[in-house]
Amino acid sequence: HLASTGAYIYGNAANTFAALTSAGLEFTQAGVKKAIFGATTAIGGATAVTTTSTDEVVRIDSLGVKIYNDSSNYTFVSASGMSVFSGGNNVASFGTTMRVGRDETDKSALRVAADGSMSIGTSGAKKFSVAADGTVAVEGTITIGASSTTAVDFLNVLLFF
């Protein structure tokens, strides 16, 4: 069907159709909008989609791609990398640097810097780190098998062995 507002292709019911307009292309099934292709693209699941949907939808816009389970649980891919959100918290980030775990002073995370160095600990305190040159730093006790030792004891073993 051609109209002044665009072109429409109907399915087996009047509320199942594709609409091509100046805004883009939209697909509606049984009265529920399932996909929008335009400046912002949204492809959804069981619920109706809009260009701002956050429930079971993939959204693509000028900032990147967001894959939503809901507004608190999603993945965002952009030109600078990928971030994973769980419960509204950024729990992982992959780009020029990498972090798995929340970036908080009271939560531990694994971090890898652009130079290849890595650390495990909170954003303010590294408990285990490996520098780009291979130097390893450990804060706390090292347990090997049934024995444990502090970093100072371990150093004494290396120096006097």
Short mmCIF file of all heavy atoms in Angstrom, two decimals, residues 14-15 28 33 68 85-86 89 104 109 114 117 119 139-140 142 145 155:
data_model
loop_
_atom_site.label_atom_id
_atom_site.label_comp_id
_atom_site.label_asym_id
_atom_site.label_seq_id
_atom_site.Cartn_x
_atom_site.Cartn_y
_atom_site.Cartn_z
N ALA A 14 -4.25 -6.66 9.56
CA ALA A 14 -4.00 -5.22 9.38
C ALA A 14 -2.98 -4.69 10.39
O ALA A 14 -2.34 -3.67 10.14
CB ALA A 14 -5.31 -4.45 9.50
N ASN A 15 -2.79 -5.39 11.54
CA ASN A 15 -1.84 -4.92 12.54
C ASN A 15 -0.48 -5.65 12.45
O ASN A 15 0.32 -5.58 13.36
CB ASN A 15 -2.44 -5.02 13.95
CG ASN A 15 -2.72 -6.45 14.38
OD1 ASN A 15 -2.58 -7.39 13.61
ND2 ASN A 15 -3.13 -6.59 15.63
N THR A 28 6.07 -4.30 12.48
CA THR A 28 5.09 -4.47 13.54
C THR A 28 4.41 -5.83 13.34
O THR A 28 4.00 -6.16 12.24
CB THR A 28 4.04 -3.34 13.51
OG1 THR A 28 4.72 -2.10 13.65
CG2 THR A 28 3.01 -3.48 14.61
N LYS A 33 5.36 -3.42 17.91
CA LYS A 33 6.52 -3.02 17.12
C LYS A 33 7.72 -3.88 17.52
O LYS A 33 8.12 -3.90 18.67
CB LYS A 33 6.83 -1.55 17.31
CG LYS A 33 7.81 -1.00 16.28
CD LYS A 33 7.93 0.50 16.37
CE LYS A 33 6.61 1.10 15.95
NZ LYS A 33 6.60 2.55 15.93
N TYR A 68 20.66 -5.25 25.49
CA TYR A 68 20.00 -5.18 26.80
C TYR A 68 19.25 -6.45 27.15
O TYR A 68 18.53 -7.01 26.32
CB TYR A 68 18.95 -4.06 26.80
CG TYR A 68 19.49 -2.67 26.85
CD1 TYR A 68 19.68 -1.93 25.68
CD2 TYR A 68 19.78 -2.06 28.06
CE1 TYR A 68 20.14 -0.63 25.72
CE2 TYR A 68 20.25 -0.76 28.11
CZ TYR A 68 20.42 -0.05 26.94
OH TYR A 68 20.88 1.23 26.99
N PHE A 85 27.62 -4.53 32.07
CA PHE A 85 26.93 -4.04 33.26
C PHE A 85 26.05 -5.14 33.83
O PHE A 85 25.35 -5.82 33.09
CB PHE A 85 26.08 -2.81 32.93
CG PHE A 85 26.89 -1.62 32.52
CD1 PHE A 85 27.34 -1.49 31.21
CD2 PHE A 85 27.21 -0.64 33.43
CE1 PHE A 85 28.10 -0.41 30.83
CE2 PHE A 85 27.98 0.45 33.06
CZ PHE A 85 28.43 0.57 31.75
N SER A 86 26.11 -5.31 35.15
CA SER A 86 25.27 -6.28 35.86
C SER A 86 24.73 -5.60 37.10
O SER A 86 25.50 -5.05 37.90
CB SER A 86 26.09 -7.51 36.25
OG SER A 86 25.30 -8.43 36.96
N ASN A 89 25.90 -2.07 37.72
CA ASN A 89 27.32 -1.84 37.98
C ASN A 89 28.16 -2.26 36.78
O ASN A 89 27.93 -3.32 36.19
CB ASN A 89 27.77 -2.65 39.20
CG ASN A 89 27.02 -2.23 40.43
OD1 ASN A 89 27.06 -1.09 40.85
ND2 ASN A 89 26.30 -3.17 41.02
N GLU A 104 36.11 -0.31 42.03
CA GLU A 104 35.72 0.29 43.31
C GLU A 104 36.86 0.15 44.31
O GLU A 104 37.72 -0.72 44.17
CB GLU A 104 34.49 -0.44 43.88
CG GLU A 104 33.35 -0.58 42.90
CD GLU A 104 32.23 0.41 43.15
OE1 GLU A 104 32.22 1.00 44.24
OE2 GLU A 104 31.40 0.55 42.26
N ALA A 109 39.30 -6.55 41.59
CA ALA A 109 39.17 -6.71 40.14
C ALA A 109 40.53 -7.07 39.56
O ALA A 109 41.57 -6.79 40.13
CB ALA A 109 38.66 -5.43 39.50
N ALA A 114 47.55 -1.10 29.20
CA ALA A 114 47.95 -1.10 27.79
C ALA A 114 49.38 -1.59 27.59
O ALA A 114 49.71 -2.16 26.55
CB ALA A 114 47.79 0.30 27.20
N SER A 117 51.13 -4.73 31.77
CA SER A 117 51.19 -4.98 33.21
C SER A 117 49.80 -5.35 33.70
O SER A 117 48.80 -5.04 33.07
CB SER A 117 51.70 -3.74 33.94
OG SER A 117 50.83 -2.64 33.75
N SER A 119 47.25 -6.33 37.44
CA SER A 119 47.14 -6.31 38.89
C SER A 119 45.80 -6.91 39.30
O SER A 119 44.86 -6.96 38.52
CB SER A 119 47.24 -4.88 39.43
OG SER A 119 46.13 -4.10 39.00
N GLU A 139 51.33 -8.72 48.00
CA GLU A 139 51.10 -8.25 49.35
C GLU A 139 50.31 -9.34 50.07
O GLU A 139 49.26 -9.76 49.60
CB GLU A 139 50.28 -6.96 49.34
CG GLU A 139 50.03 -6.40 50.71
CD GLU A 139 49.20 -5.13 50.67
OE1 GLU A 139 49.52 -4.24 49.87
OE2 GLU A 139 48.23 -5.07 51.44
N GLY A 140 50.82 -9.85 51.17
CA GLY A 140 50.11 -10.88 51.91
C GLY A 140 50.90 -12.18 51.95
O GLY A 140 52.12 -12.20 51.83
N ILE A 142 51.79 -16.12 50.73
CA ILE A 142 51.84 -17.01 49.57
C ILE A 142 51.68 -18.44 50.10
O ILE A 142 52.41 -18.84 50.99
CB ILE A 142 53.17 -16.87 48.82
CG1 ILE A 142 53.34 -15.45 48.30
CG2 ILE A 142 53.24 -17.88 47.68
CD1 ILE A 142 54.71 -15.17 47.74
N GLY A 145 51.03 -25.52 48.20
CA GLY A 145 50.69 -26.79 48.84
C GLY A 145 50.10 -26.54 50.21
O GLY A 145 49.27 -25.67 50.39
N LEU A 155 61.25 -14.22 50.18
CA LEU A 155 62.45 -13.52 49.74
C LEU A 155 63.68 -14.08 50.45
O LEU A 155 64.72 -14.30 49.82
CB LEU A 155 62.32 -12.02 50.01
CG LEU A 155 63.48 -11.15 49.57
CD1 LEU A 155 63.73 -11.28 48.07
CD2 LEU A 155 63.24 -9.71 49.95
#
